[in-house]
Amino acid sequence: MNEFDKIVELGKKGQKALNQYWLDYSLYASVEYWMMVLFFAGPLILLLFKIDRTKIFRIAFYGYSVHVFFGYEDLFGRNMGYWNYPFPVIPVLPGISMDSSLIPVTFMLVYQWTLNHEKNYYLYATLTAAILSFAFKPILVALGLFKMYGNVHYFHLFLSYFSVVILAKVITDFFVWMKSHAKTEQNDGSTT
């Protein structure tokens, strides 16, 4: 337990150092910081106007699934030292702009579009994952908003996005199936 306590203490020191870095360099006053704020607030505002309210719970459940799974993957990547965000909106939640807004909302709108236009979700989600991995992330890297370390490549990011959107879709489909199955059972029970 002593070793574990030392590890926890190291984590606290690391977070304290990040908080101090955020304050010392006045990251909250930089253009990069405000871009990250925009990446957080902008998609959420857009979603308020664009979400299909007739399917809001299904789309929101899907988006929440993307948020949770992507948050786990992003946390894993940051904890392993694979990547990080030099200009966090909130130092204790470095990836909040991406994890909680930009990525989930992007995929929610793709999911909604494929539902409403009866298009192949897997094709368009994969294309979106590719665009985010091979076009958007390199732009973030060039702007200094995202850093990758070690042998991490954009293909690794693509695999991360791809696994999240597949898992989110499978989970959503499972709950949609359970809901429709429950209605069928209710109807069968009331007719007998």
Side-chain angles (χ1 to χ4, degrees):
M1 288 308 267
N2 287 336
E3 283 300 311
F4 180 75
D5 292 341
K6 288 177 188 175
I7 293 167
V8 170
E9 192 58 36
L10 285 173
K12 285 169 49 177
K13 286 180 182 176
Q15 186 58 55
K16 185 176 179 182
L18 181 60
N19 295 348
Q20 197 59 50
Y21 157 79
W22 194 79
L23 291 170
D24 288 348
Y25 292 95
S26 302
L27 295 186
Y28 51 85
S30 68
V31 170
E32 293 87 351
Y33 172 82
W34 289 103
M35 287 178 69
M36 295 302 280
V37 169
L38 182 64
F39 287 150
F40 179 74
L44 294 175
I45 293 167
L46 176 68
L47 187 64
L48 285 174
F49 294 102
K50 293 295 184 180
I51 195 163
D52 181 344
R53 285 169 171 59
T54 65
K55 298 179 180 103
I56 195 165
F57 288 107
R58 181 175 181 174
I59 295 165
F61 181 84
Y62 167 84
Y64 184 73
S65 297
V66 171
H67 159 70
V68 169
F69 297 134
F70 185 65
Y72 289 150
E73 286 200 4
D74 193 53
L75 181 63
F76 171 78
R78 284 185 280 120
N79 284 343
M80 295 301 291
Y82 296 152
W83 57 71
N84 215 321
Y85 302 89
F87 295 90
V89 174
I90 303 168
V92 295
L93 300 170
I96 193 169
S97 295
M98 302 298 148
D99 300 348
S100 299
S101 183
L102 184 71
I103 302 305
V105 170
T106 298
F107 282 110
M108 285 170 75
L109 293 174
V110 169
Y111 179 62
Q112 175 177 292
W113 184 81
T114 60
L115 282 175
N116 290 343
H117 294 90
E118 298 179 6
K119 299 292 183 182
N120 184 321
Y121 166 82
Y122 298 101
L123 172 65
Y124 289 97
T126 302
L127 288 172
T128 304
I131 291 167
L132 288 170
S133 303
F134 301 116
F136 180 68
K137 284 291 183 164
I139 292 169
L140 290 183
V141 168
L143 293 172
L145 300 175
F146 184 71
K147 288 197 59 115
M148 295 188 303
Y149 301 96
N151 293 326
V152 175
H153 300 285
Y154 295 109
F155 186 71
H156 296 120
L157 300 178
F158 171 75
L159 292 176
S160 174
Y161 286 125
F162 182 75
S163 64
V164 164
V165 298
I166 296 302
L167 190 54
K169 176 76 161 67
V170 167
I171 294 289
T172 302
D173 286 350
F174 175 71
F175 280 97
V176 168
W177 175 82
M178 284 181 55
K179 181 182 175 189
S180 67
H181 190 68
K183 284 183 179 177
T184 303
E185 285 177 354
Q186 262 182 344
N187 292 338
D188 288 347
S190 64
T191 58
T192 55

